[in-house]
Amino acid sequence: MTTIGLIGSGHIGQAIARQALAHGYDVVLSNSRGPETLSGVVAELGDGARAGTSEEAAAAGDLVVVTIPFKSYEQVPVEPLAGKTVIDTNNYYFERDGHYVEIDEGRTTPSEVLAEHLPTSHVVKAFNSIQAAQIGSAATPAGTPNRRALPIAGDDAAAKERVARLIDEFGFDTVDAGPLAEGGRFDRDKAAYGAELGADDLRAALASG
């Protein structure tokens, strides 16, 4: 049994938790307000779900999902995530997060900023380019014609392979966009962001970005 820790339990976090539970994983959810505020969510999710602090979710997770507003990335605990694969679902919205000059000027990407904060973790950008509800509703079995594909990016091949397997379990194909720096190809306002495409068309959208 693999446990998935969730740092952040908003729409995306809860959607990932539901899919994880449906596929035999345990989940530990956390948020910035404390585990007691997640009692209703945990009760609705049912067996296999529990709440904890962000440190507890990070420590418990064999695989950990960071799904919080980008501006809060420095609140992600570092030491409990050492050596672990971390899925980054975050999107940078300057209207909400404030301006980060390095990102605005194209000198770095949101996931690279998180990776700098987590220097001993293996960060993989994924699930940022799909609506939360579609993580469940758009899932289809492997081999489905024109099955929807999701883009990923990361610097560690083994970590990316692990995330790709999870995405396949959840009901989607995967297109590897390359190293973490290429994650910018499926950020907001890019052709691949939110695109409901099969793998071949998604590759074309990424290439245009």
Side-chain angles (χ1 to χ4, degrees):
M1 178 68 68
T2 298
T3 297
I4 296 180
L6 292 122
I7 298 174
S9 297
H11 296 305
I12 291 285
Q14 290 181 41
I16 291 174
R18 287 189 185 92
Q19 280 284 57
L21 290 164
H23 290 85
Y25 296 90
D26 287 336
V27 297
V28 181
L29 298 102
S30 67
N31 63 17
S32 61
R33 300 184 303 278
E36 66 279 358
T37 66
L38 291 168
S39 58
V41 172
V42 168
E44 188 268 328
L45 290 172
D47 291 344
R50 65 182 176 90
T53 65
S54 59
E55 289 79 6
E56 289 168 342
D62 303 295
L63 183 67
V64 178
V65 181
V66 172
T67 180
I68 57 177
F70 172 75
K71 64 183 178 181
S72 301
Y73 76 91
E74 289 180 316
Q75 297 177 19
V76 177
V78 177
E79 291 185 6
L81 294 174
K84 295 187 178 185
T85 296
V86 175
I87 297 175
D88 177 28
T89 80
N90 296 340
N91 285 303
Y92 165 57
Y93 299 109
F94 64 82
E95 303 91 337
R96 175 196 65 192
D97 301 318
H99 281 282
Y100 289 73
V101 175
E102 295 86 352
I103 297 175
D104 293 340
E105 294 180 350
R107 290 186 276 123
T108 190
T109 64
S111 291
E112 288 179 287
V113 172
L114 179 64
E116 287 181 12
H117 176 67
L118 301 173
T120 58
S121 303
H122 308 298
V123 175
V124 178
K125 185 184 185 78
F127 292 112
N128 73 296
S129 62
I130 182 172
Q131 294 180 25
Q134 293 176 341
I135 292 173
S137 67
T140 56
T144 299
N146 206 36
R147 187 191 199 199
R148 183 169 175 177
L150 301 182
I152 66 172
D155 295 332
D156 184 272
K160 285 198 288 187
E161 175 59 30
R162 188 176 191 189
V163 174
R165 289 197 304 269
L166 182 75
I167 290 172
D168 180 58
E169 285 185 77
F170 281 11
F172 303 90
D173 287 344
T174 301
V175 172
D176 186 351
L180 204 56
E182 296 299 317
R185 292 183 178 274
F186 50 100
D187 277 334
R188 64 177 290 186
D189 301 327
K190 298 293 187 179
Y193 180 75
E196 300 177 34
L197 303 172
D200 289 342
D201 289 337
L202 181 57
R203 289 187 187 94
L206 289 165
S208 73

